[in-house]
């Protein structure tokens, strides 16, 4: 698909992978970065061309409704929705306790929010000649990280949902559905699990996304995610097609 002259909304766009995606698409597109912290958003957008900010909590229904109205009114539409915002707890599921509360918080941000946002913005996306939804999952959506147990659950659920959404929207709409699957990336978000020392540059993840959109590669398995998939999971594509035929 075309990767210029779009209006692109990125949740969690004030830092990490989200900010690198904004940089990769700027200035050839209009970028809207969304997050809860206005100061963080303003600092991220300060030195970027054609990048705008909207403060919103994507886990809050009222904020999502306000976000939708502002995008529709101020920007006149949307071509690409990138569901990137994430929430994660590092803990031992057997010993640390409170797994339920952690799982609820993670699923609210990582799974339910992308579903709500996609459903909310689909009418705007369908109005475009070409449009896309990008869900950012993770390598742990394939193989759970033992120190990220319920975060891994939420990304596995998002992976499953993304495949179903892609399958249905491909039947009679112009909305393409992509899934970006990073491995460990060097961001503050992953600092607690050694991401700053051992992760790949977040800019590599963003650049792979831009390339995949141009080439209509719908599952974007970055770095070690691709190696893991090729070695252990490649047969699942045929299984999905057979099951849904």
């Amino acid at each position: 698909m075309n990767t210029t002259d779009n209006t692109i909304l990125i949740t969690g766009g004030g830092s990490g992978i989200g900010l690198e995606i904004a940089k990769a698409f700027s200035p050839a597109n209009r970028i809207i970065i969304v997050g809860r912290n206005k100061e963080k958003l303003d600092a991220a957008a300060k030195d970027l061309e054609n990048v705008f900010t909207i403060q919103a909590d994507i886990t809050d229904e009222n904020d999502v409704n306000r976000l939708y109205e502002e995008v529709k009114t101020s920007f006149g539409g949307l071509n690409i929705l990138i569901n990137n915002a994430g929430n994660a707890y590092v803990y031992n599921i057997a010993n640390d306790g409170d797994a339920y509360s952690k799982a609820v918080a993670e699923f609210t941000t990582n799974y339910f929010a992308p579903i709500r946002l996609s459903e909310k913005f689909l009418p705007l996306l369908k109005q475009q000649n070409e449009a896309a939804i990008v869900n950012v999952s993770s390598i742990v959506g394939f193989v759970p990280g033992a120190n990220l147990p319920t975060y891994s659950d939420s990304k596995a659920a998002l992976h499953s949902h993304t495949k179903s959404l892609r399958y249905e929207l491909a039947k009679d709409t112009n909305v393409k559905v992509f899934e970006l699957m990073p491995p460990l990336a060097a961001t503050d978000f992953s600092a607690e699990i050694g991401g700053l020392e051992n992760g790949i540059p977040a800019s590599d993840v963003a650049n792979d996304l831009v390339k995949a959109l141009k080439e209509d590669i719908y599952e974007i398995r970055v770095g070690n995610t691709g190696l893991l998939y090729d070695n252990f999971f490649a047969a699942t594509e045929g299984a999905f097609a057979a099951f849904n035929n």
Side-chain angles (χ1 to χ4, degrees), residues 77-111:
L78 189 69
N79 295 86
I80 301 175
L81 168 65
I82 302 179
N83 289 309
N84 166 74
N87 185 15
Y89 290 95
V90 179
Y91 71 103
N92 184 305
I93 197 169
N95 300 315
D96 291 346
D98 203 23
Y100 175 81
S101 296
K102 293 181 175 74
V104 168
E106 289 166 330
F107 268 79
T108 298
T109 300
N110 304 339
Y111 180 66

Side-chain angles (χ1 to χ4, degrees), residues 161-238:
H161 173 77
T162 303
K163 292 180 79 72
S164 297
L165 185 64
R166 179 186 304 123
Y167 179 78
E168 294 298 336
L169 288 178
K171 292 178 179 178
D172 57 3
T173 80
N174 57 348
V175 182
K176 301 175 180 180
V177 180
F178 297 82
E179 183 179 359
L180 179 61
M181 310 169 184
L184 185 66
T187 66
D188 290 340
F189 183 79
S190 67
E192 194 174 352
I193 58 171
L196 294 177
E197 299 82 15
N198 302 310
I200 68 170
S203 58
D204 289 357
V205 180
N207 292 334
D208 278 6
L209 172 60
V210 175
K211 182 174 183 292
L213 289 182
K214 288 179 180 178
E215 299 175 5
D216 284 335
I217 299 170
Y218 295 108
E219 292 199 347
I220 309 155
R221 307 177 197 102
V222 182
N224 285 338
T225 308
L227 295 175
L228 178 73
Y229 182 88
D230 290 342
N231 286 327
F232 299 104
F233 294 97
T236 59
E237 291 302 313

Side-chain angles (χ1 to χ4, degrees), residues 24-170:
F25 280 109
S26 170
N29 300 274
R30 284 197 305 178
I31 315 295
I32 307 161
I33 57 174
V34 177
R36 290 178 295 181
N37 188 310
K38 185 179 186 304
E39 290 73 23
K40 187 176 181 180
L41 290 173
D42 290 343
K46 181 169 61 75
D47 297 322
L48 298 178
E49 186 178 349
N50 226 15
V51 174
F52 307 88
T53 67
I54 300 178
Q55 181 184 18
D57 180 352
I58 61 163
T59 68
D60 182 278
E61 184 177 7
N62 291 330
D63 270 20
V64 170
N65 291 337
R66 176 177 56 80
L67 174 63
Y68 171 81
E69 292 299 330
E70 186 165 348
V71 170
K72 184 173 70 170
T73 302
S74 300
F75 295 89
L78 189 69
N79 295 86
I80 301 175
L81 168 65
I82 302 179
N83 289 309
N84 166 74
N87 185 15
Y89 290 95
V90 179
Y91 71 103
N92 184 305
I93 197 169
N95 300 315
D96 291 346
D98 203 23
Y100 175 81
S101 296
K102 293 181 175 74
V104 168
E106 289 166 330
F107 268 79
T108 298
T109 300
N110 304 339
Y111 180 66
F112 294 119
I115 292 176
R116 175 187 278 160
L117 285 160
S118 297
E119 188 171 47
K120 189 73 179 178
F121 280 98
L122 261 176
L124 289 184
L125 295 170
K126 288 178 177 178
Q127 292 172 9
Q128 307 300 322
N129 292 328
E130 190 175 45
I133 295 169
V134 180
N135 287 335
V136 180
S137 62
S138 170
I139 191 171
V140 298
F142 288 118
V143 176
N147 57 351
L148 294 165
T150 42
Y151 174 80
S152 301
D153 296 344
S154 70
K155 292 301 187 178
L158 184 63
H159 171 62
S160 176
H161 173 77
T162 303
K163 292 180 79 72
S164 297
L165 185 64
R166 179 186 304 123
Y167 179 78
E168 294 298 336
L169 288 178

